[in-house]
Every structure is written in C-alpha cells, then in structure tokens.
C-alpha cells in the first residue's frame, strides 16, 4: 500500500468523515471465530443432541462453505429453536482476550461504525466516550440522519447482536419494528423489505453522502459484505473516496466505483500495527497544521516593512 493511501485515510479520519464498516476480522485478535468457523462450531454444538439425523449431512455440508453458509444456518433454524442458537452464539462470541485492534480503533476517534458483527466489542470500546448506539429497528434507522447532523459518534449494528433473541417474524419485532439478529438469507430479506428496508436504505444513503467508508475485517468472498455491497450499489453510490482493506493473499473482486482496494496485511491479527500507522499520520497532519511556519525575511523586506510602519 502506498504512503498516499495512509495519508488519504488519515485525512478522512482527522476531518471526522471516516466511518468504518466492520466485519469479523476486527475481532480475530480477541479470539473470536470468523464466519465459517462460527458456522462449524454451531454445528458441533448441536450435532449430537439437537440436529435430526436426516439433516446432519446436508447442514454440515452447507455450513462448511462460504457460498452456502447462510443457507445452512437457515436450515439449522428450521430444526433448532432460535433461542438455543442465540444462546450458543453468546457463548461462542465471548472474547478470549483483549482486542488490540479495537483499542487502536478507539484511538482514532472515528465518526462512526457500521458492523455486521454480533459481538459487543465495538460497544465496549465506545463506552469510553459518549456515542449513539443504533440497531436495525425502524425507529433507530429513522433517527440516523439526526445522529449524523450531530457530532456524536455512532455505532449501527446492521445485523443485530447477541442480545437480540426474537425472529423477524415475531409479533413484537414485526409490530413494533424492533431489532433482530440477521442469521439467514430469510432474515436478510426481512431486513431489506417493506418499511424497515426503506428506512435502512435512507439511513445508509445518508451515511454515504457524508462519509468515506473504510471496510475492515471482510474477505472479498464473505457473504455478509457481498450482500451489503450489492445492496449499497443498488440503492446508493459512494460519492466520497472509500477503501476496502483486504488480505494480501486474497484474489481481488469487483467493487462499486470509488472504492479503492488496498491489501496491506497478511493476517487480520496485523490490523493493530496498520491502524497505528494511520494514527501516527493523523498526529503528523495535526502538528503540520497547528505549528506556525517561520518565514525568514531578507534585509530589503525588513526595510520595506519598517518603512510601511
């Protein structure tokens, strides 16, 4: 990655117009699993006692591939109570150690975060300052524009989190427009349709019009980010320069216009050192702006100034 990319991202951070769109990779150094590993661990959790024998091979096969992972969770939801699955997720997504990545993100004082992660690491990091937490509920999505007009940092939990046990078709969620955890393709469809879908579109459009987006923690083939990018491309655009941070070994994928691909790291556990480079550049920029320049005058210029005085 060029030094210009570092400078451009640091400028967006310093100007309070950088919003991080965060995936599971930012939680890796806390010992949390990626999407595919999470699917396999869910299968292992319910294989012996809960999953009917006739479904085991099909579910295991689907949960073992990124392309069919969401379909596999959809089938799992048909045979396992949703409350049992969310309880398992709360256990599987307990941090094993402190996340240095989140610590570095906190130092950047970003404008806000959008995340498809279910864990509470971003919530915990942001509790150190005043921030506005937004869920995928209709009232929260509707208030996004007002939050953007303020100087308060925000966190939009796009796919809900481990506290959301109700399904999208439950009466409380459907009637009151409350939040839910997006686990399957059917859940994703419920998120983007109807009144909730319209409010989501307006909320994301409002963010894109004011912010540069830094995608962190996603692989190019992650189902979460592909769905999100397809949705954003269909209903909005990226008027400001944005960046997708990928891993060095990954094969590049097509992205919407004005999103630049950069591949500065080999593993997600290297994110803290890369984020530290961004932080250091923001400090350099601040010092360059705040320090007055000393201009040396020639003797002729000095005489001219004295004459004018």
């Amino acid at each position: 990655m060029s030094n210009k990319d570092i400078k451009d991202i640091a400028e967006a951070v310093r100007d309070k117009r950088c919003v991080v769109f965060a995936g599971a990779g930012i939680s890796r150094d806390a010992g949390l699993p990626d999407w595919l590993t999470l699917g396999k661990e869910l299968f292992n959790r319910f294989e012996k006692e809960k999953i009917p024998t006739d479904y085991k091979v099909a579910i295991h096969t689907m949960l073992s591939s990124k392309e069919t992972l969401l379909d596999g969770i959809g089938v799992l939801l048909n045979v396992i109570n949703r409350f049992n699955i969310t309880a398992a997720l709360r256990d599987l997504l307990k941090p094993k150690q402190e996340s240095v990545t989140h610590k570095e993100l906190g130092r950047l004082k970003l404008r806000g975060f959008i995340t498809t992660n279910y864990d509470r690491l971003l919530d915990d990091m942001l509790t150190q300052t005043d921030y506005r937490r937004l869920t995928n509920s209709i009232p929260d999505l509707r208030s996004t524009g007002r939050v953007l007009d303020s100087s308060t940092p925000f966190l939009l939990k796009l796919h809900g989190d481990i506290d959301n046990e109700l399904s999208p078709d439950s009466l409380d969620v459907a009637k009151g427009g409350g939040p839910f955890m997006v686990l399957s393709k059917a859940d994703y469809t419920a998120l983007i349709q109807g009144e909730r879908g319209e409010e989501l579109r307006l909320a994301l459009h409002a963010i894109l019009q004011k912010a540069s987006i830094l995608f962190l923690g996603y692989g190019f083939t992650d189902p979460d980010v592909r769905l999100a990018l397809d949705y954003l491309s269909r209903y909005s655009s990226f008027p400001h320069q944005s960046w997708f941070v990928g891993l060095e070994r990954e094969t590049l994928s097509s992205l919407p216009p004005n999103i630049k691909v950069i591949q500065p790291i080999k593993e997600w556990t290297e994110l803290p050192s890369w984020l530290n480079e961004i932080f250091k550049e923001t400090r350099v920029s601040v010092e360059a702006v705040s320090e007055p320049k000393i201009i040396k005058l020639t003797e002729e210029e000095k005489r001219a100034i004295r004459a004018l005085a």
Side-chain angles (χ1 to χ4, degrees):
M1 183 182 67
S2 69
N3 191 47
K4 184 179 185 305
D5 292 325
I6 290 283
K7 289 180 179 294
D8 289 344
I9 296 171
E11 181 182 357
V13 172
R14 191 186 70 248
D15 293 346
K16 299 297 181 184
R17 57 180 171 82
C18 183
V19 170
V20 165
F21 202 122
I26 71 164
S27 302
R28 197 66 52 78
D29 68 347
L32 300 191
D34 59 17
W35 242 116
L36 197 56
T37 304
L38 188 62
K40 292 177 180 177
E41 290 184 358
L42 277 175
F43 177 82
N44 294 336
R45 181 68 61 98
F46 297 113
E47 177 187 10
K48 293 182 179 179
E49 299 178 0
K50 302 286 185 180
I51 301 178
T53 303
D54 295 344
Y55 284 84
K56 285 184 179 180
V57 174
I59 291 176
H60 182 266
T61 301
M62 286 188 284
L63 292 180
S64 299
S65 169
K66 287 183 179 180
E67 288 72 23
T68 57
L69 180 61
L70 293 176
D71 295 311
I73 293 180
V75 177
L76 191 64
L77 283 167
N78 289 330
V79 295
I80 305 294
N81 186 290
R82 192 179 186 100
F83 291 101
N84 290 335
I85 291 178
T86 55
L89 286 172
R90 278 194 292 274
D91 184 45
L92 293 171
L93 294 176
K94 288 180 180 177
K96 308 298 188 298
Q97 61 263 344
E98 180 185 20
S99 169
V100 183
T101 299
H102 285 76
K103 186 175 181 180
E104 290 295 331
L105 286 171
R107 286 210 301 165
L108 290 176
K109 308 296 183 186
L110 293 157
R111 181 66 188 88
F113 295 86
I114 308 169
T115 186
T116 53
N117 294 347
Y118 306 133
D119 63 64
R120 302 299 303 276
L121 290 172
L122 283 172
D123 303 69
D124 295 340
M125 179 266 288
L126 286 167
T127 53
Q128 300 172 12
T129 184
D130 291 332
Y131 81 105
R132 178 66 186 274
R133 187 179 189 276
L134 301 170
T135 68
N136 58 24
S137 72
I138 291 175
D140 277 1
L141 293 172
R142 193 171 289 160
S143 69
T144 302
R146 294 193 299 274
V147 174
L148 287 170
D149 289 337
S150 71
S151 59
T152 304
F154 69 90
L155 168 62
L156 173 55
K157 302 297 286 281
L158 197 61
H159 285 184
D161 67 18
I162 52 179
D163 291 332
N164 303 141
E165 295 183 326
L166 298 178
S167 65
D169 57 359
S170 68
L171 183 61
D172 289 341
V173 172
K175 185 177 179 180
F180 63 92
M181 197 187 304
V182 178
L183 294 171
S184 66
K185 282 187 176 179
D187 293 347
Y188 181 79
T189 300
L191 177 67
I192 64 175
Q193 286 186 341
E195 183 182 6
R196 192 188 303 266
E198 177 64 13
E199 295 299 339
L200 173 65
R201 184 183 71 79
L202 292 172
L204 293 176
H205 180 75
I207 294 171
L208 291 182
Q209 298 315 298
K210 295 188 176 183
S212 293
I213 308 300
L214 180 63
F215 291 89
L216 282 182
Y218 291 104
F220 289 111
T221 59
D222 282 3
D224 269 351
V225 77
R226 293 316 312 178
L227 288 171
L229 286 171
D230 290 344
Y231 183 82
L232 291 171
S233 301
R234 193 181 317 131
Y235 293 110
S236 191
S237 61
F238 290 79
H240 304 287
Q241 178 66 65
S242 297
W243 304 270
F244 190 108
V245 178
L247 300 177
E248 286 182 3
R249 64 177 182 274
E250 288 187 316
T251 302
L252 299 183
S253 181
S254 61
L255 294 172
N258 222 18
I259 300 181
K260 184 176 183 179
V261 175
I262 52 180
Q263 295 175 281
I265 55 177
K266 295 180 180 179
E267 303 291 342
W268 292 123
T269 50
E270 297 175 13
L271 259 182
S273 59
W274 182 78
L275 290 170
N276 185 50
E277 291 300 311
I278 303 292
F279 176 76
K280 287 191 293 186
E281 182 59 37
T282 63
R283 305 313 303 162
V284 169
S285 302
V286 168
E287 291 168 2
V289 171
S290 59
E291 287 184 1
K293 293 183 178 180
I294 300 175
I295 301 175
K296 292 185 177 181
L297 301 176
T298 65
E299 288 300 320
E300 184 178 352
E301 288 170 331
K302 290 177 183 178
R303 285 195 297 270
I305 292 173
R306 283 195 293 268
L308 287 173

